[in-house]
């Protein structure tokens, strides 16, 4: 999504709301104060806001800081690694700091390729019409493809999709951010199975950036995460939207994470706002502890200069 941008509106009319399932993209848009959602999404966002700390307005930070983490991690990889192909899970580009992610990437590296993989039909159709350049060449491009990003084998299928600029053995960067908490219920498989299949498919030298909603260890905050998670799960938005830290760390498998900022040597997921922040920490919010982020590389880790 590009809330408030001069593009076709994603949501056609409010009277269609009762025909729609709950949507990851619409819920996040409502939580961050966007425009592309229904009243039912605002109601769900309100319930989640009331369950979490720091007041009603703070809950939007969960995904505002998530987007800013994505921007910083792409900028770092573009400037300090040879990777020029980015696979972004989810084509919903809610407005936080202006331009969509691919525009920010191309501002630094015009010849980079950005591939959005999207499972939701409405978001897919919107992104195809607004973002996809439909250029089948190794040059600056944006492709939007339909893909089940919660299938452990989705990246293998993406490699076999025609006109997608992925080349066997060439390192890539995959961003699975603001998506994994909303994995649908399935008879077999867990969130860890999703990332295990993804890691197994990644070529050596590739990067994996993940975020996931977190249930902090403190009992009162764990209860807050449980209440918020129950509201989301009741509407089909994930089965365990908030995971304990140890389970989020396990999503990276055997990959070694990058040190997240200059103030620590620990290699572990941290709140999105603390992953190489653009400046000194001026304010800290309890809500930040409810969404953790990390970056890892398949193969020997590359130090951040």
């Amino acid at each position: 999504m590009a809330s408030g941008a001069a593009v076709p509106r994603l949501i056609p009319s409010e009277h269609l709301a009762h025909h729609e399932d709950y949507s990851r993209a619409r819920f996040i848009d409502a939580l961050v104060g966007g425009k592309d959602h229904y009243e039912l999404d605002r109601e769900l966002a309100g319930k989640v806001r009331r369950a979490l700390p720091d007041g009603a307005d703070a809950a939007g930070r969960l995904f505002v800081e998530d987007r800013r983490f994505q921007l910083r991690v792409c900028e770092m990889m573009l400037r300090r690694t040879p990777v020029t192909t980015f696979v972004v899970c989810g084509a919903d580009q809610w407005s936080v700091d202006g331009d969509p992610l691919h525009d920010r990437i191309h501002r630094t590296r015009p010849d980079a390729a950005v591939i959005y993989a999207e499972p939701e039909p409405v978001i897919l159709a919107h992104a195809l019409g607004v973002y996809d350049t439909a250029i089948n060449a190794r040059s600056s491009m944006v492709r939007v493809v339909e893909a089940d990003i919660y299938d452990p084998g989705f990246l293998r299928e993406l490699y076999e999709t025609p006109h997608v600029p992925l080349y066997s053995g060439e390192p890539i960067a995959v961003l699975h951010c603001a998506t994994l908490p909303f994995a649908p219920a399935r008879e077999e498989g867990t969130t860890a199975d999703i990332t295990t299949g993804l890691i197994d498919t990644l070529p050596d030298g590739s990067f994996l950036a993940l975020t996931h909603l977190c249930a902090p260890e403190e009992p009162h905050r764990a209860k807050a995460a449980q209440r918020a998670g129950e509201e989301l799960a009741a509407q089909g938005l994930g089965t365990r939207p908030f995971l304990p830290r140890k389970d989020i760390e396990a999503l990276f498998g055997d990959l070694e994470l990058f040190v997240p900022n200059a103030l620590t040597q620990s290699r572990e997921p941290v709140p999105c706002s603390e992953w190489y922040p653009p400046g000194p920490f001026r304010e800290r919010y309890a809500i930040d502890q409810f969404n953790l982020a990390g970056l890892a590389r398949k193969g020997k880790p590359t130090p951040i200069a």
Side-chain angles (χ1 to χ4, degrees):
M1 291 186 191
S3 300
V7 296
R9 287 302 298 271
L10 176 63
I11 303 303
S13 61
E14 191 72 30
H15 76 274
L16 296 177
H18 67 282
H19 296 296
E20 298 290 336
D21 294 329
Y22 281 88
S23 158
R24 172 199 82 242
R26 295 198 326 261
F27 162 71
I28 294 176
D29 187 76
L31 199 66
V32 302
K35 299 178 181 178
D36 293 328
H37 54 264
Y38 296 122
E39 176 62 28
L40 59 86
D41 305 304
R42 291 192 289 276
E43 292 174 357
L44 178 59
K47 292 177 181 179
V48 171
R49 287 190 183 103
R50 289 189 290 273
L52 296 174
D54 286 341
D57 292 337
R61 279 180 61 90
L62 288 174
F63 296 106
V64 169
E65 295 299 336
D66 193 301
R67 176 67 74 217
R68 291 172 178 166
F69 161 75
Q70 295 177 50
L71 294 172
R72 292 196 301 277
V73 81
C74 288
E75 180 75 10
M76 185 280 288
M77 287 187 282
L78 286 166
R79 294 188 180 279
R80 303 178 186 178
T81 80
V83 169
T84 59
T85 300
F86 294 79
V87 175
V88 182
C89 297
D92 45 316
Q93 293 289 297
W94 60 88
S95 179
V96 171
D97 287 330
D99 302 330
L101 183 60
H102 59 270
D103 282 350
R104 299 289 288 269
I105 288 173
H106 288 148
R107 196 175 301 165
T108 301
R109 187 70 185 261
D111 63 339
V114 181
I115 303 153
Y116 289 110
E118 176 56 56
E120 292 188 18
V122 174
I123 308 302
L124 176 72
H126 173 80
L128 278 168
V130 177
Y131 300 144
D132 197 305
T133 59
I135 300 173
N136 182 26
R138 294 191 59 142
S139 61
S140 176
M141 70 174 68
V142 180
R143 298 309 317 271
V144 179
V145 296
E146 183 177 11
D148 182 358
I149 59 176
Y150 303 116
D151 182 343
F154 102 88
L155 188 57
R156 286 192 291 273
E157 295 182 6
L158 206 58
Y159 270 100
E160 298 172 0
T161 302
H163 311 308
V164 172
L166 288 175
Y167 304 94
S168 179
E170 183 177 290
I172 62 174
V174 176
L175 281 73
H176 225 316
C177 301
T179 46
L180 289 171
F182 307 105
R186 290 180 172 168
E187 293 182 2
E188 297 181 359
T190 64
T191 307
D193 293 325
I194 297 171
T195 58
T196 296
L198 178 58
I199 291 167
D200 288 346
T201 311
L202 284 173
D204 283 343
S206 295
F207 294 83
L208 178 62
L210 299 179
T211 66
H212 204 291
L213 298 177
C214 178
E217 294 181 359
E218 299 88 344
H220 68 287
R221 293 183 180 176
K223 289 181 180 179
Q226 180 180 357
R227 290 194 298 270
E230 287 172 351
E231 295 290 356
L232 293 172
Q235 308 305 334
L237 293 180
T239 55
R240 295 181 66 202
F242 291 78
L243 293 178
R245 174 183 288 272
K246 63 180 179 60
D247 290 354
I248 296 174
E249 292 176 351
L251 297 179
F252 290 91
D254 294 332
L255 303 184
E256 187 173 15
L257 278 80
F258 283 85
V259 173
N261 60 62
L263 301 180
T264 181
Q265 290 300 311
S266 297
R267 298 179 182 271
E268 60 183 6
V270 297
C272 295
S273 61
E274 295 182 14
W275 198 92
Y276 277 87
F281 298 129
R282 298 190 181 278
E283 294 182 279
R284 293 180 183 269
Y285 295 82
I287 195 71
D288 292 341
Q289 302 296 322
F290 288 76
N291 194 15
L292 302 186
L295 174 70
R297 181 177 183 268
K298 187 172 182 178
K300 185 177 180 181
T302 300
I304 297 179

